[in-house]
Amino acid sequence: MLRRLLALKPTFFPQQQHHKTCWLIAGTFAVVIALEYATLSDYVFGYLYTGPILLANPRLNRSATLQVTLIASVLTLLNLVVPTVELTNPATVANRFIGVMALVATGWLSDRAACLC
């Protein structure tokens, strides 16, 4: 039954809607990246990546949702060393890893919610 539902998914969101979703996700990523890398690494804006993850789940396929989740997690951790490599305190690193765990949990729970329907 799940395979039949997944086969119906493209009929609900035509190809043009698919491109709009991808651009919306890319735009949201650009805004969050700008916020993330314009501030100190002490401030975690990675939680704002939950929007694109939740947007990707119903409109794109499962692997795209996984890709969005992984990219968001990597970008959140990358702010520890980019734009400048500096000595960070353990609390900042812990905050980043908590943010990554929250992003992974969001992706996993949104996938489970889609599978239960």
Side-chain angles (χ1 to χ4, degrees):
M1 180 167 169
L2 178 63
R3 290 181 191 205
R4 281 188 260 153
L5 287 174
L6 290 176
L8 291 176
K9 195 180 229 182
T11 60
F12 292 128
F13 299 106
Q15 191 67 19
Q16 185 181 14
Q17 184 70 24
H18 175 76
H19 290 300
K20 287 181 182 179
T21 302
C22 291
W23 279 109
L24 187 59
I25 290 171
T28 308
F29 264 83
V31 169
V32 176
I33 287 170
L35 289 171
E36 186 94 58
Y37 295 110
T39 59
L40 298 172
S41 61
D42 294 339
Y43 301 105
V44 181
F45 285 98
Y47 294 106
L48 297 177
Y49 288 120
T50 56
I53 292 170
L54 293 175
L55 183 66
N57 187 39
R59 297 181 181 205
L60 302 175
N61 59 15
R62 192 176 200 178
S63 66
T65 304
L66 177 65
Q67 289 173 359
V68 169
T69 304
L70 290 177
I71 290 170
S73 299
V74 167
L75 288 173
T76 300
L77 289 177
L78 192 62
N79 190 244
L80 288 171
V81 294
V82 175
T84 59
V85 178
E86 58 187 39
L87 186 61
T88 56
N89 57 3
T92 302
V93 176
N95 283 337
R96 293 278 166 183
F97 277 106
I98 290 169
V100 167
M101 287 189 289
L103 292 173
V104 170
T106 301
W108 181 62
L109 290 173
S110 67
D111 183 50
R112 282 184 49 104
C115 291
L116 294 176
C117 293

